[in-house]
Amino acid sequence: MDGFNDSGVNHIVFYLLGIPGQEDLHLWISIPFFISYVIALFGNGLLIFIILIKSSLHEPMYLFLCMLAAVDIVFASTTEPKTLAIFWCNRREISLNGCIAQLYFQHSSFISESGILLIMAFDRYIAVCYPLRYTTILTHSLIGKIGVAVFLRAHCTIFPIVFLLKRLHFYRNNILPHTFCEHIGLAKYACDDIQVNIWYGFFVLMSTVILDIALIFVSYVLILHAVFHIPSQEARHKALNTCGSHVCVIILFYGPGIFSVLTQRFGRDIPLHIHILLANVSMLAPPMLNPIIYGVKTKQIRHQVVYVLFNKQK
């Protein structure tokens, strides 16, 4: 550590390299990134607009979907504007505070989305197992309280990371080979002991995302148990169909993230630029595809989208 302290400079400005080794392709890579980001903004914005203005969609399932769309916009916007600035304008610099703010909103949005997917699984459980009491159980008041609890959990668990990073000293390096900032990705360049960061990051992961996945799995076990005890085949098909969109979104949200983590852990021969591309796909794919999935598979939303977009032309 003494060798790194010769300059006496504690870096407060960092430089994101984008995708190292692929600088000549940055402009071309930015095209699908930009298109995906625009689709995410437009699709989720349209979804929020339709759900808010149509009183027929003020049901629990659609209100949870509105929360999901809002979080998706924040989730995509935490990284993509800076990524596009790197690709288009070579704006690589980011302050330490800016880096911490970016990863704070990135991680809190991820945990918020995970929590919303959990309460949507709970929503589907109530809809399938207690259909006659669905609206009396999931009142607007309860939905609001659940939403506040989800967002408080996300921000309260991520907030200590701000202080865990602010205590570190970055004499060693201020070059980050990535398109955006990450907690451990930033902490590992510090000269201090980061064991607390590592263990707290593990605690956050286990107490939020992993717990959510386990509870979602339990919810769907109970749903399937209830569905296969329905005597009517048509009723079984209808009950399963109501869960189809949610299952697709769950796979889309957790799948790329799990695959990215596994490739980082076991894919040591995989080039760095592939890891970075996978990380960006896991950030962009859910916000871009979620509104498309619900728009295609949910008849009420599909009809309202057609009405809003094409009514004036009729």
Side-chain angles (χ1 to χ4, degrees):
M1 178 173 171
D2 293 334
F4 295 121
N5 282 331
D6 290 342
S7 65
V9 176
N10 180 25
H11 295 295
I12 58 172
V13 175
F14 292 83
Y15 294 89
L16 294 164
L17 294 184
I19 304 179
Q22 307 296 316
E23 287 81 4
D24 293 342
L25 299 176
H26 274 182
L27 185 61
W28 294 103
I29 295 171
S30 72
I31 296 173
F33 279 28
F34 174 70
I35 293 172
S36 300
Y37 183 52
V38 170
I39 292 173
L41 293 180
F42 176 76
N44 287 291
L46 180 62
L47 205 57
I48 294 170
F49 174 74
I50 287 172
I51 292 172
L52 291 181
I53 68 168
K54 297 297 179 180
S55 58
S56 61
L57 297 180
H58 291 179
E59 297 179 6
M61 171 184 170
Y62 301 111
L63 293 176
F64 290 137
L65 181 56
C66 188
M67 294 181 196
L68 183 69
V71 171
D72 273 338
I73 290 176
V74 176
F75 188 47
S77 298
T78 58
T79 58
E80 285 316 300
K82 183 59 181 178
T83 299
L84 293 174
I86 294 170
F87 289 165
W88 290 346
C89 310
N90 204 33
R91 295 289 300 274
R92 301 171 185 270
E93 68 278 359
I94 185 170
S95 67
L96 176 61
N97 289 335
C99 199
I100 293 174
Q102 185 188 59
L103 67 86
Y104 172 82
F105 285 105
Q106 175 202 340
H107 294 329
S108 61
S109 297
F110 186 89
I111 292 174
S112 295
E113 182 150 352
S114 180
I116 293 170
L117 291 178
L118 172 60
I119 61 176
M120 290 176 79
F122 174 70
D123 166 75
R124 291 299 84 204
Y125 169 74
I126 299 297
V128 171
C129 299
Y130 304 99
L132 299 180
R133 299 171 56 196
Y134 178 60
T135 53
T136 58
I137 294 175
L138 290 174
T139 62
H140 284 186
S141 174
L142 180 60
I143 291 170
K145 292 175 182 177
I146 292 174
V148 170
V150 166
F151 293 118
L152 281 178
R153 181 190 73 155
H155 288 279
C156 288
T157 53
I158 296 300
F159 192 64
I161 289 177
V162 174
F163 299 99
L164 290 176
L165 287 171
K166 291 288 285 184
R167 72 184 177 88
L168 301 177
H169 300 88
F170 297 92
Y171 298 108
R172 180 178 303 173
N173 184 30
N174 66 338
I175 306 297
L176 304 178
H178 214 302
T179 57
F180 54 83
C181 299
E182 296 176 307
H183 173 207
I184 300 302
L186 175 62
K188 70 181 182 181
Y189 290 106
C191 297
D192 310 270
D193 184 7
I194 63 168
Q195 285 299 312
V196 176
N197 296 70
I198 293 171
W199 282 109
Y200 186 75
F202 180 74
F203 164 75
V204 170
L205 179 66
M206 295 300 296
S207 63
T208 56
V209 177
I210 301 302
L211 179 62
D212 291 346
I213 293 173
L215 293 176
I216 289 170
F217 177 77
V218 171
S219 297
Y220 271 96
V221 168
L222 296 174
I223 288 171
L224 290 174
H225 181 267
V227 166
F228 289 118
H229 280 78
I230 298 175
S232 169
Q233 183 175 353
E234 182 179 348
R236 284 201 301 269
H237 177 74
K238 183 178 180 180
L240 289 172
N241 193 51
T242 62
C243 302
S245 300
H246 185 239
V247 171
C248 291
V249 169
I250 289 171
I251 294 171
L252 181 64
F253 179 69
Y254 292 114
I258 292 172
F259 183 73
S260 179
V261 169
L262 289 175
T263 56
Q264 289 182 29
R265 178 65 181 83
F266 300 107
R268 296 178 181 177
D269 295 330
I270 298 177
L272 177 62
H273 68 271
I274 299 297
H275 289 297
I276 296 174
L277 285 171
L278 286 173
N280 278 273
V281 168
S282 67
M283 292 289 294
L284 268 177
M288 178 186 71
L289 295 176
N290 285 351
I292 296 174
I293 291 171
Y294 274 99
V296 169
K297 294 186 69 66
T298 308
K299 182 173 67 175
Q300 294 89 335
I301 292 178
R302 186 167 64 247
H303 288 173
Q304 293 297 341
V305 169
V306 172
Y307 178 81
V308 169
L309 292 180
F310 303 107
N311 184 51
K312 294 181 180 179
Q313 300 178 7
K314 293 183 179 179

